[in-house]
Amino acid sequence: QQQVKQSPQSLIVQKGGISIINCAYENTAFDYFPWYQQFPGKGPALLIAIRPDVSEKKEGRFTISFNKSAKQFSLHIMDSQPGDSATYFCAASRGETSGSRLTFGEGTQLTVNP
Amino acid sequence: DSGVTQTPKHLITATGQRVTLRCSPRSGDLSVYWYQQSLDQGLQFLIQYYNGEERAKGNILERFSAQQFPDLHSELNLSSLELGDSALYFCASSPGTGGLYEQYFGPGTRLTVT
């Protein structure tokens, strides 16, 4: 059962453009939504994260938008650069005190052309 | 560099064999998580340990087991290996347990079963 659906599977953007990746979740108990960036041969690196008490969070060129009623969240990369070319994963977890696990989306391969 | 270390980086073994993957969490982190990344299944949570105790379990096969030692390093044991076990295995760590804490991933171990 895929609890976090991510789209698109791949994305090509020109340098300076805006990259937008979308995720939708099913489990309303999820209350933590991070985005990870993964380069080939490397582990996922935490990029930015949001909790459902806010609708938007911005860190530099990266912004998460969160729509609790629609159970959707998205990553916006402003002024995309060739160095941003990587695979991006959205994820979700529940705030259980007993333990936690990240449920990941399928991933989006972003290519930023110079 | 996340501060999480994993050894070995690559592992090639034959079907039916047993291997041990090792993870050292970031300094001060008490929780260790194991994830499997494969082309067909994506990033999947396997198991979490917190301060030596199992805290959460995902779709981990019975042939797989893990433990966390008093020095907080963790080992993932994979036995009776099958071709389908070929994947990237990531370890992540966080300061505590529960959804309040961000997870930081190591560089992974690439397992190839021939």
Side-chain angles (χ1 to χ4, degrees):
Chain A
Q1 180 185 5
Q2 183 63 43
Q3 295 192 52
V4 179
K5 290 189 178 296
Q6 183 173 345
S7 63
Q9 188 174 3
S10 63
L11 180 62
I12 300 175
V13 174
Q14 292 299 118
K15 179 181 175 182
I18 302 174
S19 304
I20 302 174
I21 305 171
N22 301 299
C23 284
Y25 62 96
E26 300 169 4
N27 190 341
T28 55
F30 287 148
D31 62 359
Y32 172 66
F33 304 90
W35 285 88
Y36 284 83
Q37 178 190 56
Q38 186 178 27
F39 292 103
K42 304 290 185 182
L46 180 63
L47 199 58
I48 186 173
I50 197 168
R51 299 191 188 275
D53 52 342
V54 296
S55 61
E56 186 174 283
K57 183 175 181 179
K58 183 176 181 178
E59 288 184 3
R61 297 185 294 109
F62 301 91
T63 300
I64 300 180
S65 297
F66 183 80
N67 186 330
K68 188 174 182 178
S69 61
K71 294 188 288 184
Q72 295 175 347
F73 58 110
S74 60
L75 175 70
H76 295 232
I77 306 174
M78 312 299 287
D79 187 26
S80 298
Q81 299 296 312
D84 296 331
S85 297
T87 301
Y88 292 80
F89 293 91
C90 63
S93 73
R94 298 167 55 173
E96 302 166 279
T97 54
S98 59
S100 58
R101 67 191 72 185
L102 289 171
T103 299
F104 284 90
E106 301 93 331
T108 296
Q109 189 164 351
L110 172 65
T111 301
V112 182
N113 289 328
Chain B
D1 184 0
S2 66
V4 178
T5 60
Q6 290 186 248
T7 56
K9 192 173 177 61
H10 301 279
L11 200 50
I12 301 174
T13 189
T15 54
Q17 295 299 304
R18 172 188 170 95
V19 297
T20 298
L21 313 183
R22 183 188 170 101
C23 167
S24 292
R26 298 185 316 161
S27 177
D29 284 0
L30 299 178
S31 275
V32 169
Y33 311 78
W34 287 97
Y35 291 85
Q36 180 192 58
Q37 185 175 34
S38 61
L39 283 175
D40 55 343
Q41 295 290 324
L43 265 164
Q44 299 277 327
F45 168 77
L46 295 178
I47 197 164
Q48 177 205 356
Y49 279 82
Y50 172 73
N51 204 20
E53 294 185 357
E54 182 184 306
R55 281 304 182 101
K57 207 167 187 177
N59 296 326
I60 186 168
L61 299 172
E62 284 190 11
R63 300 183 286 108
F64 295 2
S65 65
Q67 54 183 328
Q68 186 180 28
F69 295 86
D71 67 352
L72 301 176
H73 91 272
S74 178
E75 292 180 357
L76 179 67
N77 300 295
L78 315 177
S79 62
S80 303
L81 285 167
E82 302 175 359
L83 295 177
D85 298 327
S86 295
L88 272 165
Y89 291 85
F90 289 105
C91 167
S93 75
S94 67
T97 185
L100 293 176
Y101 298 97
E102 298 170 341
Q103 295 184 26
Y104 294 88
F105 281 72
T109 293
R110 180 175 293 279
L111 173 66
T112 303
V113 182
T114 62

